[in-house]
Amino acid sequence: GDSVTQMEGPVTLSEEAFLTINCTYTATGYPSLFWYVQYPGEGLQLLLKATKADDKGSNKGFEATYRKETTSFHLEKGSVQVSDSAVYFCALNTGGFKTIFGAGTRLFVKA
Amino acid sequence: DAGITQSPRHKVTETGTPVTLRCHQTENHRYMYWYRQDPGHGLRLIHYSYGVKDTDKGEVSDGYSVSRSKTEDFLLTLESATSSQTSVYFCATSGTGESEAFFGQGTRLTVV
């Protein structure tokens, strides 16, 4: 079945460091791919998305490129801030009404 | 932001009692979902709805039932709560089913 695998956390970085959170997927068909972010005590909110191969989603300095050949959608940010500390979820949707989420990666950014 | 309200936000209940969680949306979204979030498991789908009175099971539906009598409301019932159902429950909605999901703030349920 469809699935999403993302790197285990927690990831701890110093402010202004480069961030990569790996995400790979298994899916039949051509899924849309998403990154969601969850700040403490809140629900998930969409960070960025890409709907077809080679699309790049971007928002708030975060980027991810839909790589069909490697079935990946890695999240990157060039310079993290303390306010980026959160849990990040990679997800996919193949159009079957359901979104499948990865297990989440917790990011801690130290000042 | 989609207006999604979950109630209650926190609840402590005893083993064996029925519990109902409510999700209310103001966006007229067709699709609604209930997830549970547990450490090490991420988000797991319990049940979902693709229209009024149209619901289906997700991957962890045992011990849960749902009802949707109006577009805006989606109820999750734990028929007889067990300690394994202690979790944080999230409601989500989606306009098309393929598009992004909008989440409520969650309900923290503790079964003692």
Side-chain angles (χ1 to χ4, degrees), chain A residues 36 38 43-44 46 89 93 97, chain B residues 31 33 37 90 97 101 103-104:
Chain A
Y36 287 83
Q38 183 182 30
L44 281 69
L46 181 70
F89 292 88
N93 186 304
F97 314 144
Chain B
Y31 300 93
Y33 309 85
Q37 184 178 28
F90 286 100
F103 283 80

Side-chain angles (χ1 to χ4, degrees), chain A residues 18-58:
Chain A
F18 185 87
L19 168 70
T20 300
I21 300 178
N22 291 336
C23 172
T24 57
Y25 67 89
T26 302
T28 54
Y30 303 97
S32 294
L33 301 175
F34 306 86
W35 277 100
Y36 287 83
V37 59
Q38 183 182 30
Y39 298 105
E42 298 184 9
L44 281 69
Q45 55 186 277
L46 181 70
L47 180 59
L48 54 84
K49 67 179 181 182
T51 58
K52 61 183 188 296
D54 300 324
D55 270 1
K56 177 185 284 188
S58 61

